[in-house]
Amino acid sequence: MTAEGTPKSPVTFGPPVALPWIRVAAATSGTALAVALVWIFVAPLWGWAGWPIAVRALIAVVPIGLLGWLLSFPWKPRPIIDWTTAWLVGTVVRLLLTPAAAAAVYFSAPCEATQLVAAVGGCYFASLLAEVGTVASALRDRDAAPA
């Protein structure tokens, strides 16, 4: 019971948490860059274009990925349960805007569409995995720290 006489909620969500937004932004951008660099050297082995497609993929993925991440206001402390919704909003924005950005890149400087879709998909998926891994690592480290 609280001082006001109302029962205390059995559900607690813990203290507000701010995520390491600069580390996540660097990890997602760096991972997309790493995939693009791999593309530059590996794609020509299959007869595909290297650096022109990789640069276009970076232009389509990195700014939109950063925008989606920053729309969740990751520096704002909030309970972990609220982070689910905030992260979902950023992910949906990124999921909807990345194809639009890829189309804009494609129509501004046409190239082989299959190659562009493959490169954008690789960069997008890798940056998403980097985001999830970095956030999970930060939360694990936070929980493992002595109180």
Side-chain angles (χ1 to χ4, degrees), residues 5-32:
T6 58
K8 186 176 178 183
S9 171
V11 179
T12 57
F13 298 114
V17 175
L19 295 179
W21 63 279
I22 294 174
R23 184 168 55 166
V24 173
T28 58
S29 300
T31 303

Side-chain angles (χ1 to χ4, degrees), residues 109-129:
C111 58
E112 175 60 41
T114 305
Q115 295 178 33
L116 181 62
V117 169
V120 167
C123 289
Y124 179 92
F125 187 66
S127 70
L128 182 61
L129 288 177

Side-chain angles (χ1 to χ4, degrees), residues 13-122:
F13 298 114
V17 175
L19 295 179
W21 63 279
I22 294 174
R23 184 168 55 166
V24 173
T28 58
S29 300
T31 303
L33 178 61
V35 169
L37 288 172
V38 168
W39 184 274
I40 289 171
F41 295 106
V42 174
L45 298 176
W46 298 322
W48 285 13
W51 71 269
I53 299 293
V55 170
R56 288 180 177 113
L58 283 175
I59 291 169
V61 171
V62 172
I64 300 300
L66 291 175
L67 173 68
W69 173 239
L70 295 178
L71 282 177
S72 69
F73 299 101
W75 52 86
K76 180 182 173 189
R78 56 178 70 126
I80 293 295
I81 194 74
D82 292 342
W83 273 114
T84 306
T85 305
W87 182 75
L88 184 59
V89 167
T91 300
V92 168
V93 166
R94 183 174 44 231
L95 184 64
L96 295 174
L97 291 181
T98 300
V105 167
Y106 174 78
F107 288 114
S108 68
C111 58
E112 175 60 41
T114 305
Q115 295 178 33
L116 181 62
V117 169
V120 167

